[in-house]
Amino acid sequence: MATPMAPHLRSGPSRVRRYGWRGAPSWLLGLMLLVAAHTVWVGYQTLQTRFERDIARLVFNDNSEALEQAALQAGLGVDSLRAQLASTPAPPADSSYLVVSIVERRVWYKQGDSILFTAPVATGSGKQLVVKGGAKVLRFETPRGRLVVQRRDSAPAWIPPDWHYQEQANKRGLGLTQLVRGRPLKLRDGGQLTVKGNDVVRVAPDGTIRPLTATDGREIVADGKVIIPPFGTNQRKYPDVLGSFRLYLGDGYALHGTNNPKSVGQAVSHGCVRLRNEDITELYHRVAVGTPVFIY
C-alpha cells in the first residue's frame, strides 16, 4: 500500500489558495489588517478625546474667542460673514447704525442722516501671507458690506491665530513649531517645554519649572523657532493689544481699541477696524448689540 503524502509536502492549487502575499498565510494577513485598522481607530479616538478635553477646558475658562478659533482650526467653523455680506440693504431710517469708510479711514455713528459721533480708524493693510505649506494665501483686508455688532467686550484679550506666529517667524527669520498638550517639546540643552494647567512652562534639565511669558512681538522662542502655544493657555492670550473695548462683528473681525494709537488713520491692521481707546470707549457706551455696520 502506498504511504500517504505528508500534508506539508502536498502541492497544487490548494497550496496557492491558502497563501497570500509573498507566501504569507492568509490568516496572518487578515490579522495584520485587523491590527492596522484597530491602530487607526485608537488614534482617531485619542485625537477626538484630546479635542473634546481641550474644548471642555476652554468652556470652563469662559474663553469664547478661543472656542471660535479652535472651531475654525478644526474645520468646524462657519463663515458667518459670507451670508451677511451677500445682501447689503440700505441703512435704517429710524434707528442708529455705524458706517466705516476704508478709503477715508473713518467711522461714523449715525441715526438717519444725523451724525452722532465720528472718529478716524485704521483698516486692513491688504498684505498677503502664504500659509505654511503654500496651500493657502491670506490677504489682510477689512471686509466690505453689511455686518452686525454681535458682542460687546470690555478689556478684551487677543487670542492670536496660528498665522500670527508664522508672520512673526517670517519677520525674524526663525522656524516655527506647534506645542501640543501632553507632548513635551525637547530642547537642545536637555530641558523641555510643556503645558502645566493653563501655562506653558520650561522644565530645566535639573527639573526646575518656570512659567513663560508671551505678548505681541515677544513670543516664546526656543532653539531658533517661534513656539505656537495651545489654545486655552495664558501664553495664547494677549491683554491690552485690543485696547479698552471691542465691538465684535464675527469671524475674528471687530471694531476695537489699540495699544498703538499712532497706527490709527493708516492701513495697517489684519482686517479689523482699529480706533483710539478714547474713541472706542465712546462707541462702546453708545452702540448696542444688533447695531448694523456698513463697511465700504
Side-chain angles (χ1 to χ4, degrees):
M1 179 181 296
T3 304
M5 184 179 293
H8 67 279
L9 297 178
R10 288 176 183 167
S11 60
S14 60
R15 176 182 173 89
V16 175
R17 285 196 298 268
R18 289 201 309 270
Y19 284 75
W21 179 72
R22 293 187 178 177
S26 57
W27 63 266
L28 180 58
L29 290 176
L31 180 60
M32 291 171 63
L33 290 173
L34 184 62
V35 170
H38 179 71
T39 301
V40 171
W41 181 83
V42 170
Y44 171 79
Q45 291 297 320
T46 300
L47 291 174
Q48 181 72 12
T49 301
R50 184 176 296 161
F51 178 76
E52 291 174 355
R53 180 195 63 196
D54 289 347
I55 292 301
R57 184 183 288 110
L58 295 176
V59 172
F60 180 78
N61 291 337
D62 192 26
N63 200 333
S64 57
E65 186 170 353
L67 275 171
E68 292 167 3
Q69 291 287 355
L72 289 172
Q73 297 276 356
L76 302 177
V78 176
D79 187 0
S80 59
L81 292 185
R82 194 171 301 164
Q84 294 185 49
L85 296 175
S87 64
T88 308
D94 56 350
S95 58
S96 56
Y97 57 96
L98 288 163
V99 177
V100 176
S101 170
I102 295 175
V103 175
E104 297 180 57
R105 296 179 196 136
R106 179 163 288 272
V107 60
W108 295 268
Y109 181 52
K110 304 180 72 175
Q111 184 162 11
D113 292 331
S114 301
I115 299 175
L116 306 179
F117 178 78
T118 184
V121 301
T123 55
S125 65
K127 294 180 180 179
Q128 293 184 348
L129 176 68
V130 178
V131 178
K132 189 177 181 180
K136 186 177 181 182
V137 178
L138 299 177
R139 188 173 180 86
F140 299 122
E141 296 180 320
T142 300
R144 299 172 186 265
R146 180 188 184 276
L147 306 179
V148 174
V149 175
Q150 298 183 10
R151 193 174 73 229
R152 299 164 72 250
D153 302 319
S154 60
W158 185 41
I159 311 297
D162 284 357
W163 54 253
H164 166 76
Y165 298 94
Q166 182 178 337
E167 188 177 50
Q168 291 296 319
N170 292 351
K171 285 180 180 179
R172 306 182 209 180
L174 299 174
L176 185 70
T177 190
Q178 190 140 18
L179 180 63
V180 179
R181 289 182 185 272
R183 273 196 238 160
L185 183 63
K186 294 182 180 180
L187 304 177
R188 294 173 189 163
D189 63 0
Q192 62 181 19
L193 297 182
T194 189
V195 179
K196 298 285 186 182
N198 290 330
D199 276 316
V200 174
V201 302
R202 185 184 186 280
V203 182
D206 63 1
T208 304
I209 298 176
R210 176 172 60 90
L212 301 179
T213 58
T215 187
D216 189 17
R218 293 189 176 182
E219 286 69 27
I220 300 170
V221 176
D223 291 346
K225 296 179 180 179
V226 174
I227 307 300
I228 306 176
F231 285 109
T233 58
N234 293 320
Q235 290 71 20
R236 189 81 182 237
K237 186 185 299 183
Y238 293 172
D240 304 324
V241 172
L242 303 181
S244 49
F245 296 102
R246 174 174 58 183
L247 301 176
Y248 188 70
L249 308 178
D251 290 358
Y253 294 102
L255 283 78
H256 62 74
T258 179
N259 60 352
N260 182 17
K262 291 182 180 179
S263 67
V264 174
Q266 304 177 54
V268 292
S269 81
H270 290 96
C272 285
V273 178
R274 190 185 299 177
L275 294 85
R276 296 174 301 199
N277 285 333
E278 58 267 29
D279 293 332
I280 192 62
T281 299
E282 181 74 19
L283 283 181
Y284 178 85
H285 289 99
R286 286 173 174 254
V287 176
V289 171
T291 298
V293 181
F294 297 87
I295 303 178
Y296 68 95

